[in-house]
Each structure stands twice: as C-alpha cells, then as structure tokens.
Amino acid sequence: MDQQQQPPPRYHALVVDSGAIIKHSAFSTLHNAAESYYTVPAVLDEIRDAKAREHLDNLPFELQTRVPTAEAMKAMSDFSRLTGDYRSLSSVDMQVLALLYDLGAFDM
C-alpha cells in the first residue's frame, strides 16, 4: 500500500533568531514552513561575520523586521521572572519572545 506523504506543517508565522541564520539551518528547516517570517532588528545586528551575512542575504524567504510592543516586552519580562529564566535571557532573547507574544504564539 502506497501512502501519500503529508506536507510538513505550514505555520502562519515564524520568528527567526540569529542562530538559524548563522548556522545556515534557515535554508533547509524553515523554507516553506510558514506564510510569513519575522525577526527583531536586534537579531540582524547579531549577524556580523561575512559568512553569516551571506546566509542572511540568501534566505529563501522574505524576513520581515518588527519591533515588539511594550506590552509584549512587559508580559515576557513578568513571565520569565515567574519561571526563573529572567537572568539567563539576553535582551535579544526577550525581544524575540515578545515578538512571539505579539504574533499570538503564547496563550497566557
């Protein structure tokens, strides 16, 4: 019996962190996985070396930048304090999480 292969799940939006770009994993694992791709400006600032810049310039999708709202930043700050993660999260990490919050990825 032949089974048809199911396409991978397609998300409404994905938030991309610098690790996916630097490690080049954005090409294989993220391509066609979402309708829209977002990041925060601070993630782009983390892409410094020539090879990573090349990866960023050749992403197989349009990467939109968006600044998280103050409400989302506060919500993520408050939540990370509750979980005990606040001290281990960088400012960029907090912005990425806040953007996820803004995009409706968290039901808190």
Side-chain angles (χ1 to χ4, degrees):
M1 246 167 135
D2 289 325
Q3 292 182 356
Q4 290 184 343
Q5 290 215 336
Q6 296 294 322
R10 186 155 166 92
Y11 301 99
H12 171 67
L14 287 176
V15 176
V16 179
D17 196 7
S18 59
I21 297 166
I22 293 168
K23 294 175 184 171
H24 201 62
S25 62
F27 289 86
S28 61
T29 59
L30 300 179
H31 184 58
N32 291 326
E35 295 171 22
S36 301
Y37 298 84
Y38 297 93
T39 196
V40 295
V43 163
L44 299 181
D45 293 341
E46 291 182 333
I47 310 298
R48 294 187 185 107
D49 70 72
K51 191 70 166 173
R53 274 285 189 218
E54 184 180 331
H55 294 169
L56 179 61
D57 292 340
N58 292 302
L59 290 174
F61 48 81
E62 179 186 351
L63 185 60
Q64 302 173 53
T65 57
R66 191 165 150 182
V67 176
T69 63
E71 173 193 348
M73 290 296 292
K74 181 175 179 351
M76 288 299 97
S77 177
D78 292 347
F79 187 73
S80 66
R81 288 177 200 275
L82 288 173
T83 63
D85 294 312
Y86 181 79
R87 291 182 181 255
S88 64
L89 294 171
S90 71
S91 171
V92 178
D93 293 336
M94 195 67 73
Q95 291 175 52
V96 167
L97 291 170
L99 183 53
L100 285 166
Y101 180 89
D102 277 338
L103 294 170
F106 290 110
D107 290 325
M108 293 174 47

